[in-house]
Amino acid sequence: MEEDYVFKIVVIGDSAVGKTQLLGRFTRDEFFLDSKSTIGIEFQTRTVDIARRRVKAQVWDTAGQERYRAVTSAYYRGALGAVLVYDITRRATFEHAARWVDELRAHADKSIVVMLVGNKADLPRAVTADEAAAFAEEQGLFFSEASALSGDNVERAFLRLIEEIHANV
Ligand code: GDP
Ligand code: MG
């Protein structure tokens, strides 16, 4: 069946925070790899029904381009949503979230909806949920912890983001 909307969602955050695993958890629908592209951008999709509308979420992965400022503006072009991932076991990845927000402000559409995800919630933490929630509130981001390994909250976080994008279209 045809979808009513296609939402481009970019996944960003430091290396090894679990971006690819989170995306793989959420989307098992189809796989696209632009092997001709030197920047190696790829995305996967999953179609969900929201408020009687069929929404295709096209979720883009950085494919190893996550070094600070190495993600090009092409990656952000047309994105309606972003999942900004840090690793709750590595404090530096949370501290870098502010830089990723700066990247979004510089390259993405002003109205982009952002979900901050503290991944690896199955492991002992180095970042509290309270401080991450406070940062998210200050920056105008939605927030959830999740575990790509156990699957906890992954679907919920993505669906919340998609619902919020849908509420804005
Ligand atoms: P990326 O570089 O951000 O795309 O990170 P990956 O998705 O490749 O994951 C980096 C590493 O973290 C891999 O060894 C994953 O197996 C591991 N990992 C990813 N998500 C989780 C998680 O939720 N819990 C645990 N324990 N490990 C995870
Ligand atoms: Mg990856």
Side-chain angles (χ1 to χ4, degrees):
M1 208 195 289
E2 282 287 289
E3 62 274 354
D4 297 298
Y5 301 109
V6 178
F7 292 168
K8 176 178 173 181
I9 296 170
V10 292
V11 183
I12 55 174
D14 284 4
S15 188
V17 294
K19 298 183 298 298
T20 300
Q21 294 297 327
L22 282 168
L23 178 143
R25 256 289 162 204
F26 180 65
T27 65
R28 293 290 187 200
D29 196 348
E30 68 187 59
F31 182 76
F32 172 87
L33 172 62
D34 183 3
S35 56
K36 283 172 294 191
S37 163
T38 49
I39 45 177
I41 287 173
E42 54 190 67
F43 63 80
Q44 296 180 55
T45 66
R46 177 165 158 196
T47 301
V48 294
D49 291 326
I50 306 258
R52 299 198 184 147
R53 290 284 181 269
R54 185 142 286 205
V55 176
K56 183 187 259 191
Q58 187 188 79
V59 190
W60 292 57
D61 195 0
T62 54
Q65 302 295 308
E66 56 271 88
R67 209 158 29 78
Y68 183 52
R69 297 211 159 131
V71 178
T72 61
S73 56
Y75 185 69
Y76 298 104
R77 194 166 301 133
L80 300 178
V83 177
L84 200 184
V85 187
Y86 67 94
D87 173 347
I88 71 159
T89 74
R90 284 187 297 140
R91 223 183 142 78
T93 68
F94 172 66
E95 278 155 11
H96 294 161
R99 292 187 189 173
W100 286 106
V101 171
D102 290 345
E103 286 285 280
L104 284 172
R105 305 281 181 242
H107 298 294
D109 198 278
K110 300 258 175 299
S111 61
I112 194 165
V113 183
V114 186
M115 172 65 74
L116 177 69
V117 171
N119 189 40
K120 309 197 187 180
D122 56 288
L123 294 175
R125 65 174 67 248
V127 181
T128 69
D130 281 353
E131 62 186 318
F135 171 75
E137 182 162 7
E138 174 193 301
Q139 297 288 333
L141 322 174
F142 295 94
F143 169 64
S144 178
E145 290 189 341
S147 169
L149 182 72
S150 73
D152 274 1
N153 283 332
V154 175
E155 170 118 356
R156 214 167 139 186
F158 274 93
L159 289 181
R160 178 77 201 280
L161 176 64
I162 292 165
E163 280 165 11
E164 292 295 338
I165 296 168
H166 182 257
N168 287 345
V169 291

